[in-house]
Amino acid sequence: MQSIRNIAIIAHVDHGKTTLVDKIIHASKIFRENQEFGDLILDNNDLERERGITIVSKNVSVRYNGVKINIIDTPGHADFGGEVERVLRMADGVLLLVDAFEGPMPQTRFVLSKAIALGLKPIVVVNKVDKENCRPDEVHESVFDLMFNLNATEEQLDFPCLYGSSKQGWMNTDWKTPTDNIIPLLDAIIEHIPASKVQEGTPQMQITSLDYSSFVGRIAIGRLERGTLKENMPIALCKSDGSIKKMRIKELQVFEGLGKVRVDTVECGEICAVTGIEDFEIGDTLADPENPEALERIAIDEPTMNMLFTINNSPFFGREGKMVTSRHIRERLFKETEKNLALRVMTTESEDKFLVFGRGILHLSVLIETMRREGYELQVGQPQVIYKEGDNGEKLEPIESLVVDVPEEVAGKVIELATQGKGELLIMEPKGDLQHLEFNIPSRGLIGLRSKVLTATFGEAIMAHRFIGYEPFKGPIPGRINGSLISMNTGVATPYAIDKLQDRGVFFIDPGEEIYSGMVVGEHNRQNDIEVNLQNAKQLTNMRASGTDTNTKIAPKLNFSLEECMEFIQKDEYLEITPKSLRMRKIFLDPNERKRQEQKNK
């Protein structure tokens, strides 16, 4: 029986998790000497590479001194907390990475609290000690304080601490003496992380993740808690509703390097992939067919935000996407809920509208962006937070903890913007040459806050937030103040018309772009919505006079990212999403219909 260490790497976003995994892969010589490979080996889908973030947890296994180490890379954003919660079940210990300058951030606290509650042994790695202004010793103390506040046991508080730089590829127990490799880290993993326990008895394995192959269908991945699994052995699947289904294992695979290897038997404590199991969900247990015992299911935090997804019914539908009907969107959304644990989908009274619940704007926008790249066309409404009712019948809303690090001279602007969103300032202290601000703020107040703060601080603010809990409703928050510019007709926008209307506001379209009636083409510089005619061209005459032939000078259009569009739209607007374009529009394209709806709402 080989000895195995299962370890999850947890940290706040951008503290260097995936880079560290790269270095561990290199140190264990998985690649041949002449093989080419890039950075961030595990961030392997386009969306992760473009945004530079990890979205889905992945595992890879390396061998060192005869010990097999299964490493699980996890996302750092609070929006993907569901990913972290499910994979921590597979680990025996965690590698907690902390930035040597920033120290423990809100997401560090969130993932660490989950790991400590599961009783996992931590190894702390203070990363990025090559940064200027870094303060490794203070950070070490603050991690200790944080663990103490999270009620860690004596054994967990006695954690080993390593210092180093993943990017430079070195780790050591003392940060002042750089080495030239990360071997001290691998030694610490083998010394301090307990080996997987061997439990004899009937097999028991919880499915914590799933993979899909077009040849064999869905593949269940999890860690074998006890017993052994063999190919072709009968097995029972314990489902969430208490029912038990009998099945047979077709194939077993374990992780080796970046891929999987087929094996005949899997021993207890190993992370493996099982094919031949049908109709399973994450959290189900594979157990003995004679005497099935289910493991406790994974508890996932509840979603805090929802959005309406509906089919694209604009005049330009079906021009760019392949999947446009409600059947396509329904199938895709329900397929997503199988592996995205924190996501929920509800059908509504109408066949073509779905309510999708998620952890935050980023969580929902990653789903929308993925669908867009797969060729779907859809429309979404304004994001709404989910309210609850308290014991005394009062209205409760989700509250988040917001941390902003910002240069001192613009700290006042950030405080002003956060308090407009009903945030209350809890902590304000210097941290290096930055001011460190902490707020409690309603989730509603966070929608659209990031772009305002970045504008006010010239892009220098570092923001992070995480969900704390539900508190009584804080009162109304002012939304977007300016109205929209709405196109009156359908056709191609002319430079002449845009030029004449530039004093009315900022445009989101370029001359020559095709637009339709009811589409939002810009932001008005007053509070009301106005309709504008962008199709009229210059009248050509034979008359010549000085001053009639002035060249048009048009300001470039305002480019919005997907998240900014989602935060910009109002209650009476939809965002139309196709593989090639993002368009904002009024829900009712006809101006008379819009007036009728306004009077009805009054």
Side-chain angles (χ1 to χ4, degrees), residues 172-317:
N172 203 352
T173 45
D174 175 25
W175 62 279
K176 294 182 179 112
T177 51
T179 56
D180 57 355
N181 57 31
I182 57 159
I183 300 298
L185 175 65
L186 297 173
D187 289 333
I189 291 175
I190 289 174
E191 185 185 338
H192 296 283
I193 301 289
S196 300
K197 294 188 196 74
V198 176
Q199 289 182 321
E200 299 296 329
T202 55
Q204 218 182 13
M205 170 180 137
Q206 186 163 42
I207 299 170
T208 46
S209 165
L210 60 91
D211 202 354
Y212 185 80
S213 141
S214 46
F215 299 112
V216 291
R218 295 168 71 205
I219 303 169
I221 297 174
R223 179 176 126 188
L224 187 55
E225 292 288 331
R226 71 165 193 227
T228 51
L229 290 180
K230 296 186 173 69
E231 271 195 16
N232 288 329
M233 85 187 249
I235 200 93
L237 179 71
C238 311
K239 295 187 70 64
S240 54
D241 53 9
S243 64
I244 290 165
K245 293 187 170 175
K246 300 279 169 69
M247 311 219 170
R248 190 173 284 276
I249 295 176
K250 284 187 187 150
E251 245 183 59
L252 284 172
Q253 292 172 319
V254 294
F255 291 88
E256 268 305 329
L258 295 168
K260 299 193 198 79
V261 178
R262 185 171 172 176
V263 289
D264 297 334
T265 58
V266 172
E267 300 289 336
C268 164
E270 176 71 280
I271 297 177
C272 64
V274 184
T275 51
I277 313 281
E278 282 152 31
D279 192 29
F280 63 84
E281 292 167 14
I282 289 179
D284 292 351
T285 308
L286 296 180
D288 185 57
E290 310 298 312
N291 179 17
E293 298 170 61
L295 286 157
E296 187 189 345
R297 294 187 78 79
I298 306 169
I300 296 288
D301 288 1
E302 291 188 9
T304 56
M305 210 168 254
N306 70 357
M307 276 177 94
L308 181 76
F309 278 53
T310 174
I311 57 169
N312 183 8
N313 57 6
S314 81
F316 292 173
F317 79 96

Side-chain angles (χ1 to χ4, degrees), residues 432-455:
D433 48 3
L434 298 177
Q435 282 295 84
H436 175 80
L437 311 172
E438 287 190 27
F439 301 90
N440 275 0
I441 186 168
S443 295
R444 294 178 297 146
L446 278 171
I447 296 179
L449 182 70
R450 177 177 294 271
S451 51
K452 284 185 204 157
V453 165
L454 287 176
T455 311

